[in-house]
Amino acid sequence: MERTRPPRAVLAGLALACLFEALTVLETQDREVRAASPWQDDPYNAAVSLAQFAVPMLAAVIALRLLAWRAPGGPDRERQTVRAAGALTALVGLTLAAEWAGVAAVRRSWTGRTWAMVAGLAVMSACAVAVTVMLARCRGTRPRERWRHDWLGDVLLVGQRLPVLRRWATPAAADRVRDHATAVFALASALAAAGIVGGMVAGEHWTDPGLIAWAFAVEFASNLAFCVIGNAVAGFIARPERPRTRRAGEASLVAGCVAVQVAVAFHGELWPSASVADLAVLTLGAGAAGAAATSALLMARFMAKGRQWQR
């Protein structure tokens, strides 16, 4: 019998995302509060900046899927949504861990705002633990080898209810998206990066084309890694079977994107007085090296398996 209501753990995950985002926006956008933050510097701030945009996006797609909760495919939908809520909670937890590391490493004097922020961090941590326990108790979250239903199918169902989107919300359109999922992820990542960097340019009054281009590349890499990893966890788009070489290439690309983010987070320790050109060489070079190393390891693994099969 299919569940008619979303699991409470999913709703708790959405509540956690709302609380996390409210506190994070306050900590990053209010200058006086940010000045008292123990995690205002990298590498701690890099984790906060990533989660500030990734958590609400993930929460939004989870909330939107609740509109099609009673549609066919309930078992897959429940498993996928619980896994997405788990990914959201894990992202929040990793960010909170980075903030606690900032608290442990801070050397400046604490003010009343600092103590208030640490108290809020403690409350957020307790909430994250509670949601994690709720998600761990959910049953039936083990994924199948291949999803029979995905989030794209739910988008199709919702789109068919709207006269404006009914013309484009067709099974053929959904199949094209599934066949070109990587291109869709890249396009979505580029659009999101353009919006984020555009806000930075307007808010910070950037005029250096090199800085803008570098920031766009970093945001694009972050978004692309988030899309591909999130899809692997939660099954947003059920992709057709792909050749090993294509899967290896995609894994290498994601590894390179992650390496870019790591280099950005630790660029102060790796290259303290770096210029924009230096940052581009450091971060994008780290991404290229990470992608190349991952590709070499995967190809060596495939070759080793091939020799075993020949025996």
Side-chain angles (χ1 to χ4, degrees):
M1 183 176 179
E2 293 188 357
R3 188 189 294 268
T4 58
R5 294 182 179 180
R8 293 182 179 179
V10 172
L11 302 179
L14 291 177
L16 176 68
C18 293
L19 178 60
F20 173 83
E21 189 66 13
L23 292 179
T24 302
V25 169
L26 175 63
E27 295 165 357
T28 56
Q29 302 304 314
D30 187 288
R31 292 185 178 180
E32 294 183 356
V33 175
R34 182 178 177 81
S37 172
W39 48 84
Q40 61 180 284
D41 300 321
D42 286 334
Y44 323 111
N45 183 62
V48 176
S49 299
L50 172 63
Q52 182 180 357
F53 296 103
V55 167
M57 287 192 293
L58 196 52
V61 296
I62 293 174
L64 288 174
R65 201 175 201 199
L66 301 184
L67 298 175
W69 191 260
R70 297 187 180 184
D76 276 356
R77 183 175 297 106
E78 180 177 344
R79 279 189 289 269
Q80 292 165 348
T81 310
V82 168
R83 285 167 65 84
L88 183 154
T89 304
L91 184 58
V92 170
L94 290 174
T95 306
L96 296 179
E99 292 179 348
W100 279 118
V103 171
V106 69
R107 295 292 182 267
R108 64 180 66 91
S109 60
W110 286 24
T111 65
R113 287 192 178 90
T114 306
W115 286 107
M117 294 177 71
V118 173
L121 177 59
V123 172
M124 275 296 309
S125 300
C127 293
V129 170
V131 173
T132 301
V133 172
M134 294 178 66
L135 289 169
R137 292 178 177 177
C138 287
R139 297 179 179 180
T141 59
R142 181 177 299 176
R144 301 173 180 175
E145 292 184 0
R146 296 290 300 276
W147 299 112
R148 296 179 57 190
H149 301 83
D150 59 8
W151 303 61
L152 181 60
D154 288 352
V155 172
L156 187 68
L157 291 174
V158 174
Q160 290 174 343
R161 301 174 186 172
L162 304 175
V164 179
L165 300 178
R166 191 174 299 161
R167 179 180 177 181
W168 293 278
T170 63
D175 289 339
R176 285 195 295 271
V177 171
R178 293 187 179 100
D179 291 338
H180 302 87
T182 302
V184 172
F185 294 149
L187 177 59
S189 299
L191 292 175
I196 294 171
V197 175
M200 293 179 178
V201 171
E204 303 293 334
H205 305 289
W206 289 356
T207 58
D208 185 348
L211 176 61
I212 296 172
W214 172 76
F216 177 84
V218 170
E219 288 295 338
F220 174 80
S222 172
N223 295 337
L224 184 59
F226 171 74
C227 288
V228 177
I229 295 173
N231 189 69
V233 171
F236 298 122
I237 298 176
R239 308 177 67 179
E241 189 65 29
R242 293 158 291 153
R244 289 189 303 175
T245 53
R246 184 174 177 182
R247 287 185 279 119
E250 187 173 285
S252 301
L253 177 62
V254 172
C257 291
V258 173
V260 169
Q261 306 310 310
V262 174
V264 170
F266 291 95
H267 76 273
E269 288 75 16
L270 298 173
W271 205 331
S273 57
S275 64
V276 174
D278 296 336
L279 284 175
V281 171
L282 173 64
T283 56
L284 303 183
T294 304
S295 178
L297 289 173
L298 291 175
M299 293 307 297
R301 181 182 178 185
F302 292 155
M303 293 175 63
K305 287 185 175 181
R307 287 194 294 266
Q308 291 178 355
W309 290 338
Q310 290 177 358
R311 295 175 183 175

